[in-house]
Amino acid sequence: MTLKQLSYFQKLAETQNYTQTAKELYISQPSLSYTIKELEKEFPAPLFEKEGNGNRIRLSPSGQIFLKYVQDALQNIEDGKNAVSQYIALEENILNIGYIHTFSLSNIIKLFHEFQAQPCGGMITLRQEISNEDSKLLEQLRLQKLNFAFCLEPTDGISGFPFFQQELFIILSKDHPLAERKSLSFEDIQKEPCVQVGHAHTINRIVDGIFQSHNCTPRVAFEAGNLGVALAYVLGSHCYTIAPQLPTMDFSRLTALSLEGISMCRPIYFAWKTNKKFSKNEQLFFDFVSQSRAS
C-alpha cells in the first residue's frame, strides 16, 4: 500500500468517475485503473462497485469504511508536512555557533550582543557550543551540526578566515623565580624548561618559530594532552607554558607575562563548511562577522 494509491483512492471516491479522476490527476485512465486494482489486492472485497454501463462507480460498503481512515491518514500526513515546515522555519532562525574553549567567552558574548542589536539580527537566536578540541568543532561543521565555528585552524573541507589575533603569554607559577618580573626577555626563557600542549598544537609552531629565529629549540620538559593538564604541571613545577590569558585561569597561583620585543599571537578563525550554501540568516551572520573583522 502506497501513498499514491491512497491519494488516487480518495480522489476517485470523491468523483466516482474514472475519466474525470484521471483528468484531474493528470494521468491516463489505464494507469488509474491499475493503481486502484493493486490497492484492492490488499482487501478481501472490492472497494468500488460499477454503477450502470458507463464510467460511473460508487464506493462499496468496504470502500465506505476504508475511506474515512484514508482521509484521516492523508490529513495526518499533510499536518505532519506542515509541522516539519514550521519546524524548519523556526530552526532557520537559530544559528548554532561553536568555539574553542580558549577563545574568550567575553568576545563571543560581545559579538552576539552586537549582532542581535542589529535590525536584521534581533529575530535570530544564537546558540553557542563550546569544545575543548578543535577537531570536534571541525567535524561538527562537516556534519552541519554547527552553522559556524571560531576555531584554531581550518582543515580539509572547512573554509574560513582569521577573525582576530589572540595574544599569548608566558604562564608561570607564582612560585617560579621569574614570576616577580613585569615582563621577560627571550634570554630569560631560553634555557628554562617548558610545557607544551600536544605535539602539533598551533601554539607549539609559534613557539618553535620564535626559538628557530634565535637558532635554538625550546627545552620541553613535559608534553600535556590539553591546556588544563599543562597548567596543572606548571603549578607543580618551575616550568612555564605559553597560552592565551583566560578568565578561567587561577591567577592567585599563576602569573602571565609578555615577552619583550616579540609579538606572540595566534589567529582565531571564523569557519564554515566548504561550498555550503548559506541560508538567509547564515548570510546575515556571515556578513556581520566579516564586517566586524574589517572594523
Side-chain angles (χ1 to χ4, degrees), residues 1-276:
M1 192 175 299
T2 67
L3 185 59
K4 181 175 76 172
Q5 290 173 342
L6 298 181
S7 298
Y8 286 10
F9 168 78
Q10 180 177 252
K11 175 58 71 173
L12 185 58
E14 176 187 325
T15 66
Q16 298 190 39
N17 185 291
Y18 272 95
T19 302
Q20 182 180 344
T21 300
K23 184 177 180 180
E24 291 186 15
L25 292 174
Y26 299 100
I27 60 173
S28 67
Q29 187 171 324
S31 178
L32 174 61
S33 298
Y34 175 78
T35 301
I36 296 301
K37 286 180 180 178
E38 287 298 302
L39 175 62
E40 288 182 321
K41 289 179 181 179
E42 303 275 348
F43 301 90
L47 299 174
F48 294 95
E49 298 172 342
K50 285 188 177 183
E51 189 174 67
N53 296 325
N55 286 325
R56 298 293 301 179
I57 56 169
R58 66 185 176 200
L59 284 168
S60 69
S62 298
Q64 292 174 17
I65 294 171
F66 185 55
L67 177 61
K68 183 180 185 311
Y69 290 95
V70 170
Q71 290 171 330
D72 290 343
L74 292 177
Q75 185 59 55
N76 285 336
I77 291 172
E78 189 63 27
D79 291 343
K81 287 168 61 179
N82 292 335
V84 170
S85 297
Q86 292 172 9
Y87 172 78
I88 291 173
L90 176 62
E91 283 296 283
E92 286 182 347
N93 283 337
I94 298 176
L95 296 181
N96 294 300
I97 314 296
Y99 65 96
I100 193 72
H101 76 292
T102 51
F103 181 24
S104 174
L105 179 59
S106 62
N107 289 333
I108 285 286
I109 292 175
K110 180 175 181 291
L111 184 72
F112 284 6
H113 284 173
E114 290 176 352
F115 174 69
Q116 292 179 320
Q118 306 291 315
C120 62
M123 298 300 293
I124 300 174
T125 299
L126 299 173
R127 182 186 292 158
Q128 60 140 0
E129 300 286 341
I130 187 170
S131 176
N132 292 330
E133 296 182 27
D134 209 46
S135 59
K136 289 184 178 179
L137 284 180
L138 300 177
E139 183 62 18
Q140 287 181 311
L141 283 176
R142 291 189 188 95
L143 296 174
Q144 299 192 69
K145 293 182 178 180
L146 291 175
N147 301 95
F148 299 104
F150 292 92
C151 62
L152 299 179
E153 195 171 35
T155 56
D156 292 343
I158 303 297
S159 299
F161 57 74
F163 177 65
F164 87 109
Q165 296 291 322
Q166 185 177 42
E167 190 173 3
L168 303 175
F169 296 88
I170 307 294
I171 308 295
L172 302 165
S173 164
K174 286 196 171 180
D175 295 331
H176 196 288
L178 297 174
E180 297 298 321
R181 305 277 191 90
K182 292 185 177 180
S183 62
L184 299 173
S185 67
F186 177 79
E187 288 70 23
D188 290 329
I189 66 166
Q190 184 175 2
K191 295 183 179 180
E192 291 290 323
C194 72
V195 178
Q196 287 190 342
V197 180
H199 177 66
H201 201 275
T202 54
I203 292 179
N204 295 347
R205 294 200 293 272
I206 295 171
V207 174
D208 289 344
I210 292 172
F211 275 80
Q212 287 172 10
S213 68
H214 290 79
N215 298 315
C216 57
T217 57
R219 181 186 164 196
V220 180
F222 181 70
E223 189 175 284
N226 55 57
L227 181 58
V229 174
L231 293 175
Y233 196 92
V234 165
L235 283 170
S237 67
H238 281 174
C239 294
Y240 72 89
T241 193
I242 294 180
Q245 190 172 343
L246 302 174
T248 53
M249 291 180 175
D250 183 4
F251 286 107
S252 66
R253 304 170 64 196
L254 294 168
T255 189
L257 302 175
S258 58
L259 199 56
E260 297 168 359
I262 299 176
S263 176
M264 290 199 303
C265 295
R266 68 171 176 181
I268 299 295
Y269 286 83
F270 178 65
W272 60 93
K273 183 178 179 180
T274 300
N275 297 326
K276 177 180 176 63

